Amino acid sequence: MGQKKPQVVVTRKLPDAIETRMMELFNTRLNVDDTPMTKADLVEAVKQADVLVSTVTDRIDAAVLSQAGPNLRLIANFGAGVDHIDLATARQRGITVTNTPDVLTEDTADMAMAMILAVPRRLVEGEHVIRQGKWAGWSPTWMLGHRIWGKRLGIIGMGRIGQAVARRAKGFGLSVHYHNRKRVHPEIENELEATYWESLDQMLARMDVISVHCPHTPATFHLLSARRLKLLQPHAYVVNTARGEVIDESALTRMLVKREIAGAALDVFENEPAVNPKLVELDNVLLLPHMGSATIEARVDMGEKVIINIKTFVDGHNPPDRVLASML
Ligand code: 8YV
């Protein structure tokens, strides 16, 4: 006789192939019209589910978890970042949390690299000129941006994605600098020809481009504070594909408005999907709607990871991508 299938509640629409496989393997409740769940929906979901498949748009805080039914044993997050889940409360209640690292590394790094190139070379501005019918023809001194080759890139957070960005940056002739809680292995440092800065403040003051790749945790909230942003050189660019909360968005916006730094490329924001309206008015800023891992390949692979995490967990094993509060 087969094992009883777990009740799995999926909070958002996932790729078809993933949903179909989940329907085969588990008692799955899908969200086919993809309406983001309200707090009340989430409470209902945690009451019913053995396993909750969450995404970045679900705020699974202590208030939600306090209403979880006795059966909720696993939150299998679709995504690498877990800052929307109260991990401490989950642990207290004996709920395991898993995520989907690795499979989105290369795509997110591609997006970061594209953003590192796009603002200094004014890609979006140029495109707008043509679409608005304002191109009067080539001129030797018009639409000049800044060279990337030979400049210094400061990476904040040298984990998987930070390293993948560093490899790309090397190919574009950038010299790689980084700040991380821990210095990475000398072999990796050598391969990337990367310079470690124990002091983030010192690194910020010397870089041409800063790219953020650390998770959002209590320790990294507003890591790029108003004070630290002031350390940047006036010709510096800031790129963020990690989490909006790592940068004080209001302070960054004020500096961009006053042209105290050269520009920014942001794929993530403090209050998504809201974007500071002042940012939208600026031409030295590229704004993207949290698209870092948005390839069909990444989203299918993320779904596969979710399935593997659930399957191993319900079969009584440690799921491969357990998130431990001590990792953060
Ligand atoms: C995902 C992300 O799209 O994985 C992450 O942490 O930020 C994104 O790439 C999102 O989290 C899916 O839940």
Side-chain angles (χ1 to χ4, degrees):
M1 211 175 61
Q3 210 184 352
K4 188 172 168 286
K5 288 180 177 180
Q7 175 71 49
V8 175
V9 177
V10 185
T11 67
R12 298 299 299 266
K13 168 99 190 77
L14 300 183
D16 277 351
I18 298 302
E19 290 190 340
T20 307
R21 190 68 188 129
M22 282 184 171
M23 291 296 285
E24 288 168 354
L25 289 169
F26 317 121
N27 261 333
T28 308
R29 202 180 92 199
L30 300 174
N31 178 0
V32 282
D33 65 6
D34 200 29
T35 313
M37 283 196 174
T38 62
K39 194 152 204 142
D41 297 332
L42 276 176
V43 167
E44 204 42 47
V46 294
K47 278 185 176 161
Q48 288 175 9
D50 299 318
V51 177
L52 182 75
V53 176
S54 59
T55 75
V56 69
T57 59
D58 307 306
R59 186 134 304 283
I60 305 169
D61 54 18
V64 169
L65 287 173
S66 68
Q67 306 217 44
N71 295 334
L72 184 69
R73 294 271 62 93
L74 174 67
I75 298 173
N77 188 58
F78 180 89
V82 285
D83 53 326
H84 53 291
I85 303 172
D86 182 336
L87 293 178
T89 304
R91 190 181 42 197
Q92 272 164 22
R93 299 185 64 99
I95 300 166
T96 299
V97 177
T98 59
N99 67 345
T100 62
D102 294 318
V103 290
L104 42 70
T105 299
E106 302 303 332
D107 294 329
T108 308
D110 282 344
M111 188 61 97
M113 196 63 225
M115 291 161 72
I116 290 168
L117 297 171
V119 183
R121 295 305 307 272
R122 305 178 68 178
L123 296 194
V124 177
E125 285 177 79
E127 217 257 355
H128 282 165
V129 168
I130 293 191
R131 282 188 193 268
Q132 290 163 358
K134 290 184 183 161
W135 189 27
W138 185 87
S139 154
T141 54
W142 179 69
M143 257 308 161
L144 304 185
H146 286 281
R147 179 182 292 161
I148 281 298
W149 189 90
K151 298 287 165 63
R152 294 193 174 96
L153 170 68
I155 293 177
I156 301 179
M158 199 56 141
R160 299 174 180 88
I161 299 174
Q163 289 175 30
V165 170
R167 278 195 295 279
R168 284 159 176 75
K170 226 182 113 181
F172 280 90
L174 283 150
S175 67
V176 173
H177 297 248
Y178 76 100
H179 170 79
N180 199 45
R181 267 183 321 175
K182 281 192 231 135
R183 193 167 179 159
V184 300
H185 195 279
E187 255 175 44
I188 298 173
E189 241 181 45
N190 282 343
E191 180 210 323
L192 301 172
E193 294 168 42
T195 303
Y196 175 61
W197 293 84
E198 194 179 340
S199 160
L200 175 58
D201 288 11
Q202 285 178 18
M203 181 177 89
L204 290 173
R206 291 164 167 88
M207 295 298 116
D208 303 304
V209 183
I210 289 292
S211 193
V212 180
H213 299 291
C214 60
H216 165 222
T217 67
T220 65
F221 176 76
H222 283 193
L223 186 66
L224 289 187
S225 59
R227 178 192 71 76
R228 285 213 172 99
L229 288 167
K230 291 267 181 221
L231 300 172
L232 292 168
Q233 305 184 83
H235 68 265
Y237 296 92
V238 173
V239 175
N240 191 3
T241 50
R243 282 292 181 270
E245 289 89 340
V246 179
I247 305 182
D248 181 339
E249 194 175 297
S250 304
L252 177 70
T253 306
R254 281 197 299 277
M255 287 183 69
L256 288 163
V257 169
K258 291 199 223 147
R259 308 274 157 169
E260 289 171 352
I261 57 169
L266 307 173
D267 184 46
V268 286
F269 304 88
E270 269 198 80
N271 300 300
E272 292 179 15
V275 174
N276 188 323
K278 290 197 186 118
L279 285 174
V280 180
E281 289 165 16
L282 298 172
D283 54 11
N284 55 340
V285 178
L286 168 62
L287 303 169
L288 295 172
H290 201 142
M291 288 164 60
S293 70
T295 66
I296 182 63
E297 292 87 349
R299 294 291 157 84
V300 168
D301 291 349
M302 287 159 73
E304 286 289 339
K305 272 202 167 257
V306 168
I307 291 172
I308 291 165
N309 282 316
I310 299 174
K311 193 78 182 83
T312 33
F313 183 81
V314 298
D315 287 347
H317 306 287
N318 278 332
D321 304 307
R322 261 181 317 156
V323 178
L324 306 174
S326 59
M327 282 176 180
L328 300 175

